Amino acid sequence: MMIEDYLLTIDKTDPYKRYGKVSQVVGIMIESQGPEANIGEVCLIHSATKKRKPILAEVVGFNNENIILMPYSEVTEIGPGCLVESTGKPLTIKVGRGLIGQVVDSLGKPLDGSTLPSGLSTYMTEQTPPNPLERPPIYEVNQVGVKVIDTLLTMGKGQRVGLFAGSGVGKSTLLGMIARNSNADINVIALIGERGREVREFIEKDLGPEGLKKSIVVVATSDQPALMRIKGAYTATAISEYFRDLGLQVNLLMDSVTRVAMAQREVGLAVGEPPTTKGYTPSVFSILPKLLERTGTNSKGAISAFYTVLVDGDDMNEPIADAVRGILDGHFVMDRKLAERGQYPAINVLKSISRVMNQIANAKHNEIAKEIRAIMAVYEENSELINIGAYKKGSNQEIDRAINYYPKIIHFLQQDIHEFITLEEAIDTLYRLIINGGTS
């Protein structure tokens, strides 16, 4: 019986290698006559110079019977007639516990040029999101280690939130704080479209040696081809899924999903998609839910995801911000005005929301959070009158109370980069602040 199985396998084996050949290169796209390949498959383009390694490229479309490829690296020494070989499979990476503490590129290779450790498993970068009926509800609180989030925007294990911010308001610093202070088993950090200078700065300054010990960093800098930036997001998500399936609690921190969308726009325009809202192609709005829905809970573990969203001119209603906000389980708005007056983390509590806080925080915690929000809202509504001295003390009891509490609440919400406080300590401090009449 065993011999028959071997013979059957031999009969099915194709002993020939089939190649296509490059017919034209237009911009970032390569058109090839053959070989047979499907959308998403990886091909090898053999350059005219035999000493060079083959260039990896992915099938992204078709033109009549020709295949359209997009390379993972810069196109050099490629000319008409260069051979194109199909691998017959999509992009896979090597992943395992030996990868913890490493900084890798979008293909899962160490960025410092070293070799991967042995004992890693092969894993596909593109996976389907978990079945909705196989997602356990979120009931367990996730300690982030940032006071403003833990107390007023409490997160659950497996929740996905967006950090909406303009440039220069401290989002990278906040991600570093979360990576260091969170009680997750492992962090997977994706730096997509970052400036090359900022990568090492983030790893050494914001993340630090302690954070790197339990992290895997995936880097795709802004100078890399669009496909590499997109694959960086997919690779980081795939690594997170691998560790989630081992039963671990995973934090995925992606900076930023906006640059992933911009890279997809480049690909879409190159293959001939029509530009729609603000120049974004339809494929951008179709890949976002597929990518973001892969995180969260499943029957084995949970991925708590933090996606930063860059907003042009601090416009929170621009197309990508609007689309992402509708997919995720909460949004934290980082306010430039708060950053300008030195309040860090610069999260605007009144404009932010955690959609699962009511079901995971206890009644006492929810009551305190609502009271704090109410005090902050009253002060913000009357801040102009208060600041110009037009409000007369004693005119309104609620405003008097807000004036008394507000400075102390703001002082509590401020947190130094290297300050750490547990979830229980933060809630207890906030509770005492309210009970003791504005003194903590």
Side-chain angles (χ1 to χ4, degrees):
M1 192 66 185
M2 287 290 290
I3 295 173
E4 290 177 3
D5 290 340
Y6 284 127
L7 291 173
L8 186 62
T9 303
I10 292 169
D11 287 338
K12 290 181 179 178
T13 303
D14 187 355
Y16 295 98
K17 270 192 175 182
R18 290 175 170 80
Y19 294 90
K21 62 180 181 178
V22 173
S23 58
Q24 69 172 344
V25 177
V26 180
I28 57 174
M29 310 304 296
I30 300 171
E31 192 169 318
S32 168
Q33 297 174 352
E36 291 184 7
N38 299 319
I39 293 284
E41 282 186 17
V42 174
C43 292
L44 300 173
I45 304 174
H46 299 269
S47 65
T49 307
K50 293 184 179 179
K51 292 180 181 179
R52 283 184 61 88
K53 289 182 179 179
I55 294 171
L56 283 175
E58 184 175 308
V59 180
V60 295
F62 300 96
N63 181 17
N64 296 324
E65 293 185 2
N66 291 351
I67 63 172
I68 298 174
L69 301 156
M70 181 165 281
Y72 288 122
S73 57
E74 293 298 329
V75 180
T76 54
E77 300 183 24
I78 294 292
C82 285
L83 296 179
V84 180
E85 178 187 354
S86 175
T87 62
K89 58 184 181 181
L91 181 66
T92 57
I93 56 168
K94 294 287 186 180
V95 61
R97 291 182 184 271
L99 213 58
I100 299 173
Q102 296 269 6
V103 181
V104 299
D105 64 13
S106 300
L107 305 179
K109 297 175 182 176
L111 213 60
D112 59 4
S114 62
T115 56
L116 285 170
S118 57
L120 302 180
S121 305
T122 302
Y123 201 78
M124 283 178 57
T125 58
E126 295 201 29
Q127 303 282 340
T128 55
N131 186 316
L133 296 180
E134 293 178 1
R135 286 186 185 270
I138 299 171
Y139 288 128
E140 197 173 347
V141 173
N142 181 20
Q143 177 183 294
V144 174
V146 179
K147 289 188 286 186
V148 61
I149 297 175
D150 282 343
T151 55
L152 302 179
L153 299 164
T154 310
M155 284 190 61
K157 289 183 178 178
Q159 186 178 352
R160 304 158 303 143
V161 298
L163 299 174
F164 293 77
S167 56
V169 293
K171 59 184 181 304
S172 295
T173 304
L174 178 59
L175 290 180
M177 289 174 68
I178 293 169
R180 291 194 310 272
N181 298 343
S182 170
N183 59 359
D185 298 313
I186 182 172
N187 300 308
V188 180
I189 303 167
L191 303 178
I192 311 298
E194 287 284 349
R195 292 181 285 273
R197 174 189 63 80
E198 291 183 332
V199 172
R200 188 165 181 177
E201 193 175 286
F202 174 83
I203 293 168
E204 294 180 359
K205 182 182 173 184
D206 296 326
L207 187 59
E210 290 183 10
L212 188 59
K213 282 180 185 177
K214 63 169 188 175
S215 301
I216 300 169
V217 184
V218 180
V219 175
T221 50
S222 58
D223 60 296
Q224 293 184 335
L227 198 58
M228 282 291 273
R229 282 174 270 146
I230 296 169
K231 289 301 171 185
Y234 280 86
T235 295
T237 306
I239 293 170
S240 303
E241 290 170 322
Y242 173 84
F243 286 104
R244 176 181 64 185
D245 291 345
L246 295 179
L248 301 179
Q249 299 294 331
V250 184
N251 273 350
L252 171 63
L253 304 100
M254 187 178 295
D255 184 16
S256 71
V257 73
T258 307
R259 295 195 181 107
V260 178
M262 288 177 175
Q264 181 61 37
R265 177 173 61 184
E266 285 182 45
V267 174
L269 292 172
V271 298
E273 281 189 74
T276 53
T277 314
K278 281 201 174 179
Y280 288 102
T281 56
S283 62
V284 172
F285 301 101
S286 67
I287 72 155
L288 281 176
K290 290 177 184 176
L291 176 65
L292 304 183
E293 285 288 348
R294 285 170 60 178
T295 54
T297 59
N298 73 355
S299 56
K300 298 174 183 176
I303 302 171
S304 301
F306 302 82
Y307 299 98
T308 67
V309 182
L310 290 169
V311 286
D312 293 333
D314 295 330
D315 176 16
M316 298 297 166
N317 296 315
E318 59 103 24
I320 299 303
D322 212 34
V324 171
R325 189 166 49 239
I327 297 167
L328 299 178
D329 310 316
H331 55 271
F332 302 162
V333 176
M334 301 191 73
D335 197 327
R336 189 176 301 278
K337 289 180 181 178
L338 299 182
E340 285 171 352
R341 64 185 186 218
Q343 183 183 327
Y344 289 101
I347 296 176
N348 189 320
V349 174
L350 298 179
K351 291 181 180 178
S352 307
I353 190 169
S354 169
R355 291 179 181 168
V356 303
M357 180 175 176
N358 287 338
Q359 67 194 44
I360 59 172
N362 58 44
K364 176 182 170 183
H365 182 182
N366 273 318
E367 187 180 338
I368 296 167
K370 286 177 183 176
E371 193 170 350
I372 293 291
R373 278 177 171 268
I375 292 169
M376 294 178 76
V378 169
Y379 188 92
E380 292 291 339
E381 285 172 9
N382 299 277
S383 60
E384 289 186 9
L385 292 174
I386 296 166
N387 291 333
I388 64 173
Y391 174 75
K392 186 179 178 182
K393 193 174 181 181
S395 302
N396 185 298
Q397 191 176 355
E398 283 190 4
I399 299 175
D400 289 343
R401 186 166 181 259
I403 292 171
N404 182 36
Y405 277 98
Y406 189 80
K408 297 176 177 67
I409 292 170
I410 295 303
H411 178 71
F412 166 78
L413 296 179
Q414 290 178 323
Q415 186 169 346
D416 186 68
I417 295 172
H418 298 289
E419 180 186 350
F420 173 71
I421 183 170
T422 65
L423 176 73
E424 293 77 14
E425 288 171 345
I427 295 170
D428 185 58
T429 305
L430 196 64
Y431 180 71
R432 284 188 283 109
L433 189 151
I434 292 293
I435 294 301
N436 295 341
T439 57
S440 57

